[in-house]
Amino acid sequence: MTLKINKKIDEKLNSINKTWYWLSKKSGISLGTLYPIKSGARTQVTFSTMEKIADALDVSLDEFRTKK
């Protein structure tokens, strides 16, 4: 079973006790970009955005890969 990207980010944020607002500040990504990802309205995310998210969360991009 694969999780959507928003669920994977949520899990990681919860595990480090941080919020999407914190992620916005840490990554430099606006809330206007993050909230559609958070809500699931935006299912495709650019590589550069994912790179910033991974860097902010101090994880590899592989953490967010999904298998079909």
Side-chain angles (χ1 to χ4, degrees):
M1 176 180 176
T2 60
L3 297 174
K4 291 183 179 180
I5 195 70
N6 61 335
K7 299 293 184 193
K8 289 185 176 190
I9 295 170
D10 258 341
E11 284 180 356
K12 184 60 183 173
L13 286 170
N14 288 335
S15 75
I16 60 172
N17 200 29
K18 300 293 181 186
T19 64
W20 285 83
Y21 178 78
W22 172 89
L23 180 60
S24 171
K25 295 300 179 188
K26 180 79 173 176
S27 67
I29 302 169
S30 73
L31 287 173
T33 298
L34 287 178
Y35 278 141
I37 297 169
K38 181 182 190 293
S39 71
R42 185 172 174 198
T43 57
Q44 293 187 356
V45 183
T46 65
F47 180 81
S48 62
T49 298
M50 283 311 305
E51 190 173 38
K52 289 176 186 178
I53 290 170
D55 287 347
L57 295 173
D58 196 30
V59 297
S60 166
L61 281 171
D62 287 337
E63 296 265 337
F64 300 109
R65 290 188 61 170
T66 58
K67 296 180 182 177
K68 293 186 177 188

